């Protein structure tokens, strides 16, 4: 398969990314479900960074910035959707739930927060190059 | 609280900085900037060596080579086997006497839970992946797995999964999960232990890992076969791995979803399994066993493949009825999804449903019996060589017959209603899991030992290992079958009986027999570990390319051919410096 073959025609037999993809996935899951928000945000950043890295390494992406920003958008949308489930549909009072985040809202904000950080990093990286 | 959050935030920041620092050491970041700047030709190699593996720990952390990943899976699985085995030894000592006087009932319950999860998800599935990763590409003539990096991700999900599953024991101050491996609701929803959440998360990670691995095996076997390997001459082990991967693809995502729903019920107030709400408690059992029974075949099909592959080579004949062994594998793969409610005969589900599940459960015995008769017929009038792999294969067949026949009785509703939740069930499935699956694993390890170590194991120790395992298994688990007939219920740390039901002395004696059997098993496994470690480290390098004398019978196979090519290399087979283990160089 083309993705395995490097420019010299040999097979890549080592990659630093898989272990961090797995660690990022584990940390984000742990953080989100147990409610450890810093772990959730850090885990998502590690996951997205490693996914971007592995996509770049295997030539599925031409740089790391666009995958980072893309994952950032996805996480942000997901996080906002999670927060949205807790907003009262009659008043649409977003401030009320966000200013006092409990269980579900806190988790949604953590996901969205990680998404925003990734989006900013992706955009800045893309623009600076 | 705020202080804790701050500390966690700082800790996570340090982890991320540490990861970034580590990556700068092993990956050349300039590659990306140079590419984006367009100043350097596209595809220029990064500073990190790809044609050769790095050395030391970094090699094992970064490898995407199927053979290395196979060894990682194997080491991980055997460590898990030791952990799960030591847990159950403590439980067996607890059961020596009727009173709960060795460990507390709570700790017993925690060990019970963790033993089951560890053996099924951290030993069983990974050890099969170990064989699959190392040998499937060699058997089908592929350069590597189809997705080497996904392969590595699948493995690296396991260690964090294991730490989470054992988290209740490892983290001071939190109680480990006591839900049993079946995690039945409402117990698993209401049990407040953080250890249960961690275990569920760990289990979810192992499920994701298994699914990624299965996708990889399916794609590899479909698309990466060598030119001379077609569906007609695909080996039996690859067939069973393919079928198993297909089952995983349908079963594990369902377990993942069910676990996420359970986690949501526990932490976020949903009511998927709440009593009287949503699906109710029985929904969990349906979802869990829709995964859980195929899981049995996920665990047993590749070991059956190993036995079908190895046994003929020590009988001097080809596998009898090869086609029918393949057909029966596929039949089991399909039927395995139609039997789940036989775990639920005593829950009060509709009797008409029960009858249909009984019918399918009895029917699935047919393809299993086809295989058994084929193994026996392969040995019939063969030139049997009783080397350690063959001993374990014969042990497999023998234990599988006892485990299988006891299972046929359990498939029958009236018998099940009597024996449900007794030690009979425990004895039945341990005959399969320890007596059959673990035996096939040992057969595989001994058979391919010359390939993955380049050495030969110590034959006398291997035979001690076999006989102690065979005797230990039968003493332990036959005693359990008898305990079941005497209505000893499962999952209890202590026991006492009304003399009108069963004599306590007899029950105690059988428990003591089971414990003695477990000790025999433990001694056997210590010998196994000693044998593997010492032989790997100290045995002389094996130069015989056909250590099992397969060529004489025309049973020499592709993976030993690959090994022979490796041995024939002028540099003595040092694989580190070669493209893909030496095939390329050997051909040049």
């Amino acid at each position: 398969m083309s993705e395995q073959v490097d420019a010299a025609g040999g097979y890549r037999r080592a990659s630093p990314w898989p272990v961090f993809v797995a660690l990022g996935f584990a940390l984000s899951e742990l953080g989100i479900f147990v409610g450890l928000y810093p772990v959730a945000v850090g885990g998502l950043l590690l996951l997205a960074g490693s996914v971007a890295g592995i996509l770049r390494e295997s030539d599925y992406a031409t740089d790391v910035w666009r995958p980072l920003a893309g994952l950032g958008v996805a996480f942000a949308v997901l996080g906002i959707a999670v927060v949205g489930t807790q907003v009262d549909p009659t008043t649409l009072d977003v401030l009320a739930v966000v200013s006092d985040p409990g269980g579900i809202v806190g988790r949604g904000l953590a996901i969205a927060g990680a998404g925003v950080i990734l989006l900013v990093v992706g955009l800045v990286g893309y623009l600076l190059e | 609280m705020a202080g804790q959050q701050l500390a966690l935030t700082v800790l996570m920041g340090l982890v991320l900085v540490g990861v970034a620092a580590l990556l700068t050491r092993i990956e050349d970041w300039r590659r990306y900037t140079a590419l984006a700047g367009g100043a350097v030709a596209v595809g220029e190699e990064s500073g990190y060596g790809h044609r050769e593996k790095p050395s030391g720990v970094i090699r094992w952390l970064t490898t995407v080579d199927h053979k290395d990943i196979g060894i990682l899976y194997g080491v991980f699985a055997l460590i898990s086997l030791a952990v799960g085995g030591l847990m159950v030894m403590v439980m067996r000592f607890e059961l020596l006497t009727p009173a709960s006087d060795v460990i507390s009932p709570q700790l017993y319950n925690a060990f019970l839970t963790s033993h089951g999860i560890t053996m099924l998800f951290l030993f069983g599935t990974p050890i099969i992946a170990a064989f699959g990763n190392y040998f499937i590409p060699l058997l089908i003539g592929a350069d590597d797995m189809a997705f080497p990096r996904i392969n590595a991700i699948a493995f690296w999900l396991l260690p964090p999964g294991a730490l989470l599953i054992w988290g209740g024991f490892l983290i001071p101050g939190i109680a480990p999960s006591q839900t049993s491996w079946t995690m039945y609701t409402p117990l698993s929803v209401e049990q407040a232990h953080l250890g249960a959440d961690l275990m569920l998360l760990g289990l979810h990670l192992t499920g994701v890992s298994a699914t990624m691995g299965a996708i990889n095996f399916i794609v590899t076997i479909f698309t990466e076969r060598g030119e001379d390997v077609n569906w007609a001459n695909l080996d039996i082990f690859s067939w069973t791995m393919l079928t198993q991967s297909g089952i995983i693809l349908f079963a594990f995502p369902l377990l993942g979803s069910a676990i996420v729903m359970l986690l949501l019920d526990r932490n976020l107030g949903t009511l998927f399994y709440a009593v009287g709400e949503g699906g109710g408690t029985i929904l969990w059992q349906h979802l869990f066993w829709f995964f859980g029974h195929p899981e049995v075949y996920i665990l047993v099909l590749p070991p059956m493949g190993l036995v079908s592959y190895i046994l003929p080579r020590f009988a001097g004949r080809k596998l009898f009825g090869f086609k029918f062994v393949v057909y029966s594998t596929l039949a089991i793969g399909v039927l395995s999804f139609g039997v789940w409610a036989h775990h639920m005969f005593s829950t009060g589900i509709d009797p008409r449903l029960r009858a249909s599940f009984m019918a399918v459960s009895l029917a699935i015995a047919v393809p299993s019996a086809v295989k058994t008769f084929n193994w026996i017929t392969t040995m019939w009038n063969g030139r049997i060589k009783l080397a350690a792999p063959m001993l374990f294969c014969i042990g497999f067949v023998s234990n599988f017959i006892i485990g299988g026949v006891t299972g046929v009785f359990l498939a029958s509703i009236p018998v099940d209603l009597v024996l449900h939740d007794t030690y009979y069930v425990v004895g039945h499935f341990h005959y399969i899991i320890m007596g059959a699956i673990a035996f096939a694993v040992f057969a595989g390890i001994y058979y391919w030992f010359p390939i993955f170590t380049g050495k030969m194991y110590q034959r006398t120790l291997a035979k001690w290992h076999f006989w102690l395992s065979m005797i230990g298994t039968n003493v332990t688990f036959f005693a359990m079958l008898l305990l079941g007939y005497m209505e000893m219920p499962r999952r209890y740390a202590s026991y006492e009986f009304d003399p009108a039901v069963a004599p306590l002395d007899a029950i105690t004696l059988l428990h003591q027999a089971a414990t003695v059997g477990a000790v025999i098993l433990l001694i056997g496994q210590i010998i196994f570990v000693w044998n593997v470690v010492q032989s790997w480290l100290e045995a002389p390098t094996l130069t015989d390319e056909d250590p099992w004398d397969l060529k004489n019978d025309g049973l020499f196979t592709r993976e030993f051919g690959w090994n022979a090519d490796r041995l024939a290399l002028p540099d003595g087979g040092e694989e580190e410096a070669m493209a893909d283990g030496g095939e390329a160089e050997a051909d040049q």
Side-chain angles (χ1 to χ4, degrees), chain A residues 1 3-4 6-7 10-18 22 25 29-30 38 42 54 56-58 104 107 129, chain B residues 5 9 12 32 35-36 43 45 50-51 53 62 64-65 143 145-147 149 152 156 204-205 224 268 578:
Chain A
M1 305 232 346
E3 58 142 345
Q4 298 170 12
D6 64 20
Y11 285 87
R12 282 192 73 131
R13 306 172 73 201
S15 163
W17 300 108
F25 188 79
E29 223 186 57
L30 178 71
I54 210 166
R56 171 66 200 89
E57 182 191 61
S58 48
I104 298 172
R107 288 167 167 90
E129 279 199 0
Chain B
Q5 292 282 326
T9 310
M12 278 313 296
Y32 305 135
L35 267 178
E45 194 48 75
H50 298 311
R51 294 179 66 82
K53 295 172 190 170
T62 59
V64 295
D65 180 333
D143 293 324
M145 297 289 284
F147 307 118
R149 292 181 191 82
W156 285 110
H204 190 244
L205 289 180
E224 302 281 312
L268 294 173
M578 297 178 293

Side-chain angles (χ1 to χ4, degrees), chain B residues 32-302:
Chain B
Y32 305 135
T33 51
L35 267 178
V40 179
V42 173
E44 191 199 42
E45 194 48 75
S46 76
Y48 187 47
H50 298 311
R51 294 179 66 82
E52 295 182 15
K53 295 172 190 170
S55 60
V57 177
I58 296 294
R59 166 194 169 164
W60 295 101
L61 287 173
T62 59
T63 184
V64 295
D65 180 333
H66 70 98
K67 296 186 293 296
D68 286 351
I69 293 174
I71 288 174
L72 285 172
Y73 265 114
V75 170
F76 172 85
L78 291 177
I79 290 172
S80 302
L81 176 68
V83 172
L86 292 175
M87 282 175 177
V88 83
M89 285 312 297
V90 178
M91 290 160 63
R92 279 311 328 163
F93 280 112
E94 166 60 51
L95 292 164
L96 270 175
T97 55
S100 173
D101 43 16
V102 176
I103 50 173
S104 68
Q106 288 74 27
L107 187 57
Y108 181 93
N109 290 346
F111 277 155
L112 174 91
T113 305
S114 200
H115 166 73
I117 300 268
T118 300
M119 289 306 197
L120 295 177
F121 296 96
L122 303 180
F123 164 66
T125 318
I127 195 73
I128 291 166
F131 285 118
N133 269 299
Y134 202 107
F135 290 104
I136 293 275
L138 301 183
L139 288 168
I140 66 172
D143 293 324
D144 201 318
M145 297 289 284
F147 307 118
R149 292 181 191 82
I150 287 181
N151 205 16
I153 295 172
F155 170 75
W156 285 110
L157 282 170
L158 286 176
L163 289 176
L164 287 170
I165 286 171
W166 300 328
F169 299 103
L170 301 175
I171 303 171
I174 67 165
S177 172
Q178 298 177 36
T179 57
S180 163
W181 87 279
T182 50
M183 299 167 284
Y184 279 168
T185 53
L187 174 71
S188 56
V189 174
E190 291 167 4
Q191 202 169 74
H193 309 147
L194 181 59
D197 286 313
L198 298 183
M199 185 191 80
L200 290 167
L201 286 167
L203 200 50
H204 190 244
L205 289 180
T206 65
V208 173
S209 159
T211 311
M212 291 173 109
I215 293 168
N216 216 343
F217 281 122
I218 292 173
V219 177
T220 303
I221 294 173
F222 265 88
T223 64
E224 302 281 312
R225 293 194 311 272
E227 285 175 7
D228 53 340
V229 180
N230 54 38
W231 291 114
N233 64 15
L234 186 65
D235 66 280
I236 188 66
F237 180 61
S238 301
W239 270 112
T240 54
M241 284 299 294
L242 182 64
T243 313
Q244 181 232 25
S245 300
I247 302 176
I248 287 179
L249 216 50
F250 287 96
F252 265 97
L254 186 114
L255 174 74
S257 317
I259 286 177
V260 168
M261 286 155 71
L262 188 55
L263 280 164
L264 293 175
D265 267 15
R266 285 176 60 85
N267 294 299
L268 294 173
T270 55
L271 298 169
F272 291 115
Y273 308 116
V275 179
E277 302 274 353
T281 54
I282 202 74
L283 174 65
W284 171 262
Q285 289 205 29
H286 277 297
L287 293 179
F288 179 80
W289 286 117
F290 186 84
F291 149 79
H293 201 86
E295 166 71 3
V296 175
Y297 295 100
I298 288 167
L299 289 171
V300 85
L301 281 179

Side-chain angles (χ1 to χ4, degrees), chain A residues 2-129:
Chain A
S2 60
E3 58 142 345
Q4 298 170 12
V5 183
D6 64 20
Y11 285 87
R12 282 192 73 131
R13 306 172 73 201
S15 163
W17 300 108
V19 65
F20 295 118
V21 173
L23 189 64
F25 188 79
L27 286 175
S28 29
E29 223 186 57
L30 178 71
I32 290 168
F33 274 103
V34 180
L36 302 168
Y37 305 134
V39 177
V41 175
L44 286 169
L45 295 181
L46 181 56
L47 175 65
S50 318
V51 168
I54 210 166
L55 287 174
R56 171 66 200 89
E57 182 191 61
S58 48
D59 284 339
Y60 283 122
T62 49
D63 60 55
V64 290
W65 310 118
R66 272 178 282 197
L68 276 179
L71 285 165
V73 171
F75 287 159
V77 169
L78 182 69
I80 291 166
V82 171
V83 174
T85 60
Q86 301 306 303
V87 176
D88 186 344
T90 52
T91 59
L92 292 180
D93 191 356
V94 180
L95 271 182
V97 291
V98 176
S99 58
D100 182 24
I104 298 172
V105 176
R107 288 167 167 90
L109 289 177
I111 301 171
V116 170
I117 294 172
L118 287 168
L119 182 59
V120 170
V121 169
L123 284 178
V124 170
Y126 184 71
L127 292 175
L128 284 183
E129 279 199 0

Side-chain angles (χ1 to χ4, degrees), chain B residues 21 26 52 62 92-93 102 109 143 162 167 202 366 392 417 429 448 458 499 508 514 564 574-576:
Chain B
I26 56 179
E52 295 182 15
T62 59
R92 279 311 328 163
F93 280 112
V102 176
N109 290 346
D143 293 324
V366 175
F392 276 102
L417 291 179
F429 72 73
W448 281 320
Q458 299 164 62
T508 311
E574 182 57 47
E575 64 172 316
E576 309 301 324

